[in-house]
Amino acid sequence: MTKVLTDTRSIRIKGRSFLALVLSPELPLDGWLTRLDDLASRSAGFFLGRPVVLDVEDIEIDRTQLKALIGELAKRNVRIMGIEGGRPSLFEPGMPPAMKGGRPAPDFEVPPAESTAEAAKSGNGKAAEPAVRPEPQLVRAMPSIIIKEPVRSGQSVIFPEGDVTVVGSVASGAEIIAGGSVHIYGTLRGRALAGSVGNASARIFCRKLEAELLAIDGVYKTADDMAPHLRGQAVQLWLEGDSIMAERLN
């Protein structure tokens, strides 16, 4: 007897976005892996269980080197879920898939307006044309969330859309990851990562600094790197170039 399926049900396929860490290796790869080991040794478990994308757009690398790099990362429990910026010839079956279309960093600041103080006359004595005044640009209000209880060890608060404020402490082993700034109205003992989607103007504020790791726009500072006189103090941190700056809050 032939059995006819009369109640066919469609397969539901949904789109969904997730926050992933992006690693951008630098040449020479051995030196970059050494620095990665240093980060991992001072912040144990930082990459454990996290989705990681490998960005190879800015380095010259062939398939053999890429496979070796993925293998070295796997030994360090860094599992690569995709590769961004790689040319098609780099890929073969069994490798992490090529990825593209990652969300670009949002614009948070108004660019400086061009000066309209042009000379009244040009060099040949003729009156210069008036400068074209650019249209005013609005600064988009950044979303934010408020966590009204302490963040306990092992918990993660991930909010790539904007600022995160914690009315309480962040325990050792806990982490806050924000696309904007991080505000901790308590003791920061865990990890705080601000500007996670490429916002170099993000800042970190805390009432008492005891952090395991701090990062702004991918630039990190571990507990061993922090100035001793800032430990236990109310502090704000920001990015200048490739360096994290810090000062006490009065």
Side-chain angles (χ1 to χ4, degrees), residues 18-59:
F18 295 89
L19 180 68
L21 297 178
V22 177
L23 285 177
S24 300
E26 300 172 359
L27 298 177
L29 293 176
D30 288 343
W32 180 79
L33 286 169
T34 299
R35 300 201 305 274
L36 188 70
D37 289 339
D38 180 61
L39 168 62
S41 67
R42 292 187 286 173
S43 184
F46 182 70
F47 294 104
L48 190 63
R50 295 179 181 276
V52 178
V53 174
L54 194 63
D55 181 3
V56 297
E57 183 175 7
D58 295 330
I59 63 170

Tab-separated table of all heavy atoms in Angstrom, residues 18-59:
chain	number	residue	atom	x	y	z
A	18	PHE	N	24.234	36.995	15.732
A	18	PHE	CA	24.903	36.748	17.004
A	18	PHE	C	26.144	37.620	17.086
A	18	PHE	O	26.742	37.972	16.065
A	18	PHE	CB	25.308	35.271	17.133
A	18	PHE	CG	24.158	34.314	17.195
A	18	PHE	CD1	23.615	33.780	16.039
A	18	PHE	CD2	23.604	33.959	18.410
A	18	PHE	CE1	22.550	32.904	16.081
A	18	PHE	CE2	22.535	33.077	18.469
A	18	PHE	CZ	22.007	32.543	17.309
A	19	LEU	N	26.548	37.935	18.298
A	19	LEU	CA	27.772	38.684	18.510
A	19	LEU	C	28.947	37.712	18.548
A	19	LEU	O	28.929	36.737	19.291
A	19	LEU	CB	27.700	39.455	19.827
A	19	LEU	CG	28.928	40.292	20.166
A	19	LEU	CD1	29.053	41.464	19.200
A	19	LEU	CD2	28.846	40.796	21.603
A	20	ALA	N	29.945	37.951	17.703
A	20	ALA	CA	31.130	37.103	17.673
A	20	ALA	C	32.364	37.966	17.883
A	20	ALA	O	32.400	39.144	17.515
A	20	ALA	CB	31.226	36.355	16.338
A	21	LEU	N	33.369	37.374	18.494
A	21	LEU	CA	34.661	38.043	18.567
A	21	LEU	C	35.348	37.933	17.216
A	21	LEU	O	35.217	36.927	16.524
A	21	LEU	CB	35.523	37.394	19.647
A	21	LEU	CG	35.009	37.465	21.084
A	21	LEU	CD1	35.964	36.737	22.012
A	21	LEU	CD2	34.857	38.911	21.522
A	22	VAL	N	36.083	38.960	16.842
A	22	VAL	CA	36.822	38.952	15.586
A	22	VAL	C	38.304	39.053	15.904
A	22	VAL	O	38.750	39.990	16.578
A	22	VAL	CB	36.396	40.114	14.666
A	22	VAL	CG1	37.242	40.121	13.393
A	22	VAL	CG2	34.923	39.996	14.308
A	23	LEU	N	39.075	38.072	15.433
A	23	LEU	CA	40.528	38.092	15.575
A	23	LEU	C	41.138	38.510	14.247
A	23	LEU	O	40.818	37.939	13.206
A	23	LEU	CB	41.052	36.712	15.979
A	23	LEU	CG	40.829	36.280	17.431
A	23	LEU	CD1	41.347	34.866	17.647
A	23	LEU	CD2	41.520	37.241	18.388
A	24	SER	N	42.026	39.490	14.283
A	24	SER	CA	42.710	39.970	13.081
A	24	SER	C	44.197	39.686	13.241
A	24	SER	O	44.929	40.484	13.846
A	24	SER	CB	42.473	41.471	12.887
A	24	SER	OG	41.101	41.742	12.752
A	25	PRO	N	44.656	38.542	12.741
A	25	PRO	CA	46.075	38.185	12.919
A	25	PRO	C	46.999	39.147	12.191
A	25	PRO	O	46.608	39.808	11.228
A	25	PRO	CB	46.152	36.768	12.336
A	25	PRO	CG	44.994	36.660	11.418
A	25	PRO	CD	43.917	37.520	11.979
A	26	GLU	N	48.223	39.236	12.667
A	26	GLU	CA	49.241	40.093	12.076
A	26	GLU	C	50.492	39.271	11.822
A	26	GLU	O	50.756	38.285	12.509
A	26	GLU	CB	49.555	41.261	13.013
A	26	GLU	CG	48.358	42.148	13.329
A	26	GLU	CD	48.675	43.179	14.404
A	26	GLU	OE1	49.823	43.171	14.913
A	26	GLU	OE2	47.789	43.987	14.732
A	27	LEU	N	51.229	39.695	10.834
A	27	LEU	CA	52.505	39.044	10.518
A	27	LEU	C	53.617	39.650	11.373
A	27	LEU	O	53.598	40.855	11.648
A	27	LEU	CB	52.819	39.212	9.028
A	27	LEU	CG	51.808	38.580	8.060
A	27	LEU	CD1	52.207	38.896	6.617
A	27	LEU	CD2	51.707	37.073	8.265
A	28	PRO	N	54.584	38.833	11.805
A	28	PRO	CA	54.650	37.380	11.632
A	28	PRO	C	53.667	36.666	12.550
A	28	PRO	O	53.433	37.122	13.675
A	28	PRO	CB	56.100	37.054	12.000
A	28	PRO	CG	56.487	38.141	12.967
A	28	PRO	CD	55.765	39.374	12.517
A	29	LEU	N	53.117	35.564	12.060
A	29	LEU	CA	52.065	34.876	12.801
A	29	LEU	C	52.574	34.306	14.125
A	29	LEU	O	51.828	34.250	15.098
A	29	LEU	CB	51.469	33.772	11.936
A	29	LEU	CG	50.691	34.247	10.695
A	29	LEU	CD1	50.235	33.062	9.862
A	29	LEU	CD2	49.498	35.112	11.098
A	30	ASP	N	53.848	33.872	14.160
A	30	ASP	CA	54.385	33.325	15.410
A	30	ASP	C	54.357	34.375	16.518
A	30	ASP	O	53.997	34.077	17.664
A	30	ASP	CB	55.813	32.822	15.190
A	30	ASP	CG	55.861	31.550	14.357
A	30	ASP	OD1	54.806	30.890	14.230
A	30	ASP	OD2	56.941	31.222	13.831
A	31	GLY	N	54.738	35.596	16.168
A	31	GLY	CA	54.718	36.665	17.165
A	31	GLY	C	53.307	36.999	17.609
A	31	GLY	O	53.060	37.274	18.793
A	32	TRP	N	52.376	36.978	16.648
A	32	TRP	CA	50.978	37.266	16.993
A	32	TRP	C	50.420	36.184	17.900
A	32	TRP	O	49.698	36.487	18.865
A	32	TRP	CB	50.154	37.377	15.716
A	32	TRP	CG	48.719	37.679	15.961
A	32	TRP	CD1	48.161	38.889	16.263
A	32	TRP	CD2	47.628	36.744	15.949
A	32	TRP	NE1	46.802	38.768	16.435
A	32	TRP	CE2	46.448	37.462	16.245
A	32	TRP	CE3	47.549	35.378	15.703
A	32	TRP	CZ2	45.204	36.848	16.306
A	32	TRP	CZ3	46.307	34.769	15.766
A	32	TRP	CH2	45.147	35.496	16.064
A	33	LEU	N	50.741	34.916	17.635
A	33	LEU	CA	50.272	33.825	18.487
A	33	LEU	C	50.871	33.920	19.892
A	33	LEU	O	50.202	33.590	20.879
A	33	LEU	CB	50.624	32.477	17.852
A	33	LEU	CG	49.776	32.073	16.640
A	33	LEU	CD1	50.394	30.868	15.937
A	33	LEU	CD2	48.341	31.767	17.041
A	34	THR	N	52.101	34.396	19.981
A	34	THR	CA	52.719	34.584	21.296
A	34	THR	C	51.958	35.623	22.099
A	34	THR	O	51.698	35.442	23.297
A	34	THR	CB	54.185	35.006	21.139
A	34	THR	OG1	54.906	33.980	20.454
A	34	THR	CG2	54.831	35.253	22.500
A	35	ARG	N	51.562	36.725	21.447
A	35	ARG	CA	50.785	37.752	22.147
A	35	ARG	C	49.405	37.228	22.527
A	35	ARG	O	48.866	37.579	23.586
A	35	ARG	CB	50.662	39.002	21.266
A	35	ARG	CG	51.985	39.628	20.907
A	35	ARG	CD	51.846	41.087	20.499
A	35	ARG	NE	50.910	41.294	19.418
A	35	ARG	CZ	51.216	41.208	18.124
A	35	ARG	NH1	52.451	40.880	17.766
A	35	ARG	NH2	50.320	41.452	17.186
A	36	LEU	N	48.834	36.386	21.670
A	36	LEU	CA	47.543	35.779	21.993
A	36	LEU	C	47.672	34.859	23.209
A	36	LEU	O	46.800	34.845	24.087
A	36	LEU	CB	47.022	35.002	20.784
A	36	LEU	CG	45.591	34.471	20.892
A	36	LEU	CD1	44.585	35.611	20.840
A	36	LEU	CD2	45.307	33.473	19.761
A	37	ASP	N	48.767	34.094	23.277
A	37	ASP	CA	49.005	33.231	24.435
A	37	ASP	C	49.139	34.051	25.709
A	37	ASP	O	48.680	33.648	26.776
A	37	ASP	CB	50.274	32.399	24.214
A	37	ASP	CG	50.094	31.328	23.153
A	37	ASP	OD1	48.940	30.961	22.874
A	37	ASP	OD2	51.119	30.873	22.595
A	38	ASP	N	49.771	35.218	25.576
A	38	ASP	CA	49.937	36.084	26.739
A	38	ASP	C	48.582	36.565	27.246
A	38	ASP	O	48.317	36.576	28.452
A	38	ASP	CB	50.822	37.272	26.350
A	38	ASP	CG	51.035	38.227	27.511
A	38	ASP	OD1	51.602	37.801	28.535
A	38	ASP	OD2	50.631	39.394	27.399
A	39	LEU	N	47.711	36.953	26.303
A	39	LEU	CA	46.359	37.368	26.696
A	39	LEU	C	45.612	36.224	27.363
A	39	LEU	O	44.983	36.406	28.417
A	39	LEU	CB	45.591	37.852	25.467
A	39	LEU	CG	44.081	38.064	25.645
A	39	LEU	CD1	43.821	39.141	26.694
A	39	LEU	CD2	43.427	38.439	24.323
A	40	ALA	N	45.682	35.036	26.767
A	40	ALA	CA	44.948	33.893	27.305
A	40	ALA	C	45.468	33.496	28.688
A	40	ALA	O	44.690	33.102	29.567
A	40	ALA	CB	45.036	32.713	26.348
A	41	SER	N	46.778	33.608	28.896
A	41	SER	CA	47.348	33.211	30.189
A	41	SER	C	46.936	34.162	31.302
A	41	SER	O	46.816	33.764	32.461
A	41	SER	CB	48.876	33.162	30.094
A	41	SER	OG	49.413	34.457	29.889
A	42	ARG	N	46.697	35.429	30.947
A	42	ARG	CA	46.328	36.409	31.961
A	42	ARG	C	44.819	36.578	32.100
A	42	ARG	O	44.354	37.282	32.983
A	42	ARG	CB	46.977	37.751	31.639
A	42	ARG	CG	48.494	37.707	31.793
A	42	ARG	CD	49.113	39.078	31.648
A	42	ARG	NE	49.113	39.533	30.270
A	42	ARG	CZ	49.485	40.755	29.907
A	42	ARG	NH1	49.842	41.625	30.827
A	42	ARG	NH2	49.474	41.112	28.639
A	43	SER	N	44.072	35.935	31.221
A	43	SER	CA	42.613	35.976	31.319
A	43	SER	C	42.081	34.607	30.923
A	43	SER	O	41.574	34.403	29.817
A	43	SER	CB	42.046	37.068	30.405
A	43	SER	OG	40.658	37.175	30.564
A	44	ALA	N	42.239	33.655	31.816
A	44	ALA	CA	41.915	32.263	31.521
A	44	ALA	C	40.455	32.104	31.100
A	44	ALA	O	39.555	32.695	31.686
A	44	ALA	CB	42.199	31.395	32.752
A	45	GLY	N	40.247	31.310	30.054
A	45	GLY	CA	38.897	31.023	29.587
A	45	GLY	C	38.270	32.112	28.750
A	45	GLY	O	37.078	32.050	28.460
A	46	PHE	N	39.071	33.116	28.337
A	46	PHE	CA	38.485	34.247	27.612
A	46	PHE	C	37.840	33.803	26.301
A	46	PHE	O	36.782	34.294	25.926
A	46	PHE	CB	39.563	35.294	27.335
A	46	PHE	CG	39.057	36.509	26.630
A	46	PHE	CD1	38.224	37.401	27.278
A	46	PHE	CD2	39.392	36.761	25.314
A	46	PHE	CE1	37.749	38.537	26.633
A	46	PHE	CE2	38.927	37.882	24.662
A	46	PHE	CZ	38.105	38.768	25.323
A	47	PHE	N	38.467	32.867	25.586
A	47	PHE	CA	37.937	32.428	24.304
A	47	PHE	C	37.091	31.163	24.402
A	47	PHE	O	36.503	30.738	23.406
A	47	PHE	CB	39.087	32.155	23.320
A	47	PHE	CG	39.848	33.398	22.938
A	47	PHE	CD1	41.093	33.647	23.475
A	47	PHE	CD2	39.314	34.315	22.063
A	47	PHE	CE1	41.805	34.788	23.132
A	47	PHE	CE2	40.003	35.462	21.702
A	47	PHE	CZ	41.253	35.692	22.243
A	48	LEU	N	37.035	30.561	25.577
A	48	LEU	CA	36.369	29.278	25.718
A	48	LEU	C	34.876	29.385	25.425
A	48	LEU	O	34.155	30.167	26.044
A	48	LEU	CB	36.583	28.736	27.134
A	48	LEU	CG	36.156	27.282	27.378
A	48	LEU	CD1	36.983	26.346	26.509
A	48	LEU	CD2	36.335	26.917	28.843
A	49	GLY	N	34.411	28.602	24.456
A	49	GLY	CA	32.993	28.564	24.131
A	49	GLY	C	32.482	29.759	23.366
A	49	GLY	O	31.265	29.900	23.178
A	50	ARG	N	33.367	30.650	22.901
A	50	ARG	CA	32.923	31.847	22.197
A	50	ARG	C	32.991	31.646	20.679
A	50	ARG	O	33.936	31.048	20.177
A	50	ARG	CB	33.804	33.041	22.548
A	50	ARG	CG	33.747	33.484	23.978
A	50	ARG	CD	34.695	34.660	24.159
A	50	ARG	NE	34.713	35.128	25.535
A	50	ARG	CZ	33.840	35.970	26.044
A	50	ARG	NH1	32.874	36.445	25.296
A	50	ARG	NH2	33.919	36.344	27.302
A	51	PRO	N	32.016	32.183	19.949
A	51	PRO	CA	32.145	32.188	18.491
A	51	PRO	C	33.201	33.204	18.077
A	51	PRO	O	33.193	34.353	18.544
A	51	PRO	CB	30.746	32.592	18.006
A	51	PRO	CG	30.152	33.362	19.139
A	51	PRO	CD	30.734	32.766	20.398
A	52	VAL	N	34.113	32.782	17.216
A	52	VAL	CA	35.218	33.638	16.799
A	52	VAL	C	35.285	33.654	15.273
A	52	VAL	O	35.231	32.605	14.621
A	52	VAL	CB	36.562	33.147	17.379
A	52	VAL	CG1	37.718	34.029	16.892
A	52	VAL	CG2	36.515	33.141	18.905
A	53	VAL	N	35.416	34.840	14.706
A	53	VAL	CA	35.615	35.023	13.269
A	53	VAL	C	37.051	35.464	13.045
A	53	VAL	O	37.569	36.335	13.754
A	53	VAL	CB	34.634	36.065	12.700
A	53	VAL	CG1	34.951	36.365	11.237
A	53	VAL	CG2	33.197	35.565	12.828
A	54	LEU	N	37.695	34.868	12.056
A	54	LEU	CA	39.074	35.196	11.729
A	54	LEU	C	39.083	36.154	10.539
A	54	LEU	O	38.601	35.816	9.457
A	54	LEU	CB	39.838	33.913	11.400
A	54	LEU	CG	41.367	33.991	11.343
A	54	LEU	CD1	41.932	34.375	12.709
A	54	LEU	CD2	41.942	32.658	10.885
A	55	ASP	N	39.606	37.344	10.732
A	55	ASP	CA	39.657	38.368	9.686
A	55	ASP	C	41.059	38.385	9.082
A	55	ASP	O	42.020	38.790	9.737
A	55	ASP	CB	39.318	39.734	10.284
A	55	ASP	CG	39.322	40.850	9.240
A	55	ASP	OD1	39.530	40.540	8.048
A	55	ASP	OD2	39.114	42.011	9.618
A	56	VAL	N	41.183	37.946	7.826
A	56	VAL	CA	42.492	37.859	7.166
A	56	VAL	C	42.616	38.849	6.016
A	56	VAL	O	43.486	38.707	5.163
A	56	VAL	CB	42.754	36.422	6.661
A	56	VAL	CG1	42.800	35.443	7.823
A	56	VAL	CG2	41.680	35.982	5.666
A	57	GLU	N	41.743	39.847	6.002
A	57	GLU	CA	41.725	40.780	4.870
A	57	GLU	C	43.027	41.567	4.741
A	57	GLU	O	43.468	41.865	3.634
A	57	GLU	CB	40.548	41.749	5.030
A	57	GLU	CG	40.401	42.721	3.875
A	57	GLU	CD	39.168	43.585	3.997
A	57	GLU	OE1	38.486	43.522	5.048
A	57	GLU	OE2	38.877	44.331	3.046
A	58	ASP	N	43.670	41.890	5.852
A	58	ASP	CA	44.812	42.798	5.822
A	58	ASP	C	46.158	42.101	5.849
A	58	ASP	O	47.193	42.756	6.050
A	58	ASP	CB	44.725	43.769	7.007
A	58	ASP	CG	43.520	44.690	6.900
A	58	ASP	OD1	43.107	44.996	5.770
A	58	ASP	OD2	42.975	45.076	7.952
A	59	ILE	N	46.196	40.776	5.679
A	59	ILE	CA	47.486	40.087	5.672
A	59	ILE	C	47.605	39.225	4.425
A	59	ILE	O	46.607	38.782	3.855
A	59	ILE	CB	47.682	39.211	6.933
A	59	ILE	CG1	46.633	38.094	7.001
A	59	ILE	CG2	47.648	40.054	8.196
A	59	ILE	CD1	46.926	37.074	8.091
